[in-house]
Amino acid sequence: MQRLNASTTPVSALQHHRSLGAPGIVHLGLGNFHRAHQAVHTARALEHTEGPWAIVGVANSSAATAQAMREQDMRYGVVEISPERTEIGVPAVHSDVLVAAQQPDAVLDALSAHETRIVTLTITEKGYSYSPRTKSLDLDDPGIRADLAGGAPRTTIGRLARALQRRAATHASPVAILSCDNLTGNGELTARLVREFAEALPAAERDDLLAYLRGSVSFPNGMVDRIVPATTDTYRRAVADRLGLRDEAPVPAEPFSMWVLEDHFAAGRPAWEHGGVTFTDDVEPYELMKLRLLNGTHSLIAYLGALDGCDLIAEATARPHIAEAARRLMRADYLPTLTMPADIDFEDYSAQLFTRWSNSALGHRTRQVGSDGSTKLAQRVPEPAALHLKAGRVPQHLALSVAAYLRCTTAPETTEHTAAMVDPAAEALRTARANASGTREFVAAALRDGLLGDEIAAHQEFQTRVAELVDVLSTHGVAAATEEALQADG
């Protein structure tokens, strides 16, 4: 079977047919989400208006996707799948791909090039080298220390700062840094971390970089939303069946995709408004809606589902006790802590979420959604929990979310699906569990060590409720724990 490439791609599958133009965007994080989200929205924008907006994609360390894209002339299929249909699109907006661990100088050259006007990032929450407790750059991180000392940068923040330093010292052209990760105030956070890196440099390096940051670099806030599972042979077969071509780098995705941005780009941008992007002066309502109602609830479904023996999110959502827990989490614990965007109705949005989570054809796995919970929950639980606790109410389903996460992380042998989850805090949590005299002591230690920040760690009533639910999960299972939380919620 022929390989997917520039000469074999069917015109009917191409998502953009105009001239690609010069590279104007460098993207850090060549994973599935970027290739099914930002790349697709950019392809649609370029279909409407040409411009110098080709993307140079940068993988951090894994060369597999980059190599496959090189062999396919930067082409790959986006497999949009639902129970009703499967469609294949080919964005074809990348002009080059690099691997930072292998080509550090080439990556810095691309980031600091005069032609680069936007740098986008999908490096996940844990890629920002910051402390969830303080929201500040982790200056004790070995990678950050090495990057401050000089040499080829090892961290994304170090890479950005060193590239901006080079830009300031050469052409000083403006640039926008656009985070596309699930972080509260992701643009503001990225700006702060880069600035804190710059402030930690010697004065001879620091002052010019800080001046450049103030005058020529913008950091728009944004919200991204699309469910993108891991690639499997199922999706390779889908491309082969529908296009008659072999694709070694397909990306599966649900049909739904959303991108909301501040229009704050220091050096221009693609015509993304024609590519399905919403521009607003106030991203926060969209951001909190997504982080809490979608991401936070998604995490609860993943943990409860994995503990209940479910491989897929759709399988977990189909279990009535898990679905009811998810509904109560959204309505009772998350909704009172946010203001819905003016153009979105909560009832419609929540119904749409359950439709998306019930997409059995997508194959989104509980282990994928549940991994890296220590960084994800830090973005989704502390602030809404604190708001309820200050009002004298224990948020039962936020407590259940934390309890289910702790159970998955410290008792991985429970099911094959919990065993497959990975988390940077897992070893420390298991050690704390082994050293504790009981569940309450363990939960207190876990929260005290910064899992959800200092404010939540001080709430004894929340600690106690989490510990009680961990015990119910351990002794009686998921259905009993969801019933316990439901009854306590009234």
Side-chain angles (χ1 to χ4, degrees), residues 118-185:
I118 301 173
V119 177
T120 54
L121 300 87
T122 52
I123 56 174
T124 76
E125 295 93 333
K126 65 182 180 181
Y128 287 79
S129 304
Y130 79 108
S131 167
R133 173 183 287 179
T134 65
K135 301 294 192 293
S136 297
L137 186 67
D138 185 0
L139 295 174
D140 293 325
D141 179 273
I144 292 294
R145 289 204 307 268
D147 290 353
L148 287 168
R154 295 163 47 184
T155 68
T156 297
I157 298 301
R159 201 168 283 130
L160 287 172
R162 292 303 187 183
L164 293 172
Q165 188 177 36
R166 186 184 294 186
R167 294 178 73 95
T170 53
H171 50 78
S173 298
V175 67
I177 310 296
L178 176 61
S179 169
C180 303
D181 285 301
N182 292 320
L183 296 160
T184 304

Side-chain angles (χ1 to χ4, degrees), residues 97-120:
V97 287
L98 303 168
V99 180
Q102 299 175 3
Q103 302 164 280
D105 291 338
V107 171
L108 282 179
D109 288 344
L111 290 169
S112 59
H114 171 73
E115 295 77 16
T116 297
R117 304 182 187 189
I118 301 173
V119 177
T120 54

Side-chain angles (χ1 to χ4, degrees), residues 349-425:
Y349 183 74
S350 59
Q352 182 186 56
L353 289 181
F354 274 92
T355 298
R356 294 168 65 191
W357 292 328
S358 300
N359 185 348
S360 56
L362 195 59
H364 205 195
R365 307 181 84 175
T366 54
R367 66 188 65 183
Q368 181 183 355
V369 178
S371 288
D372 296 324
S374 57
T375 51
K376 292 175 179 177
L377 293 186
Q379 294 292 320
R380 303 165 189 178
V381 171
E383 185 175 340
L387 289 170
H388 285 289
L389 292 165
K390 286 176 182 176
R393 174 182 179 270
V394 176
Q396 296 294 321
H397 288 84
L398 286 172
L400 180 61
S401 298
V402 179
Y405 161 74
L406 291 173
R407 179 65 181 162
C408 284
T409 307
T410 59
E413 71 283 353
T414 304
T415 70
E416 64 178 295
H417 315 300
T418 55
M421 291 181 183
V422 295
D423 194 290

Side-chain angles (χ1 to χ4, degrees), residues 203-223:
E205 299 181 68
R206 177 182 64 228
D207 296 342
D208 288 346
L209 176 54
L210 287 173
Y212 176 65
L213 283 170
R214 286 192 298 270
S216 300
V217 187
S218 63
F219 293 84
N221 289 308
M223 182 274 268

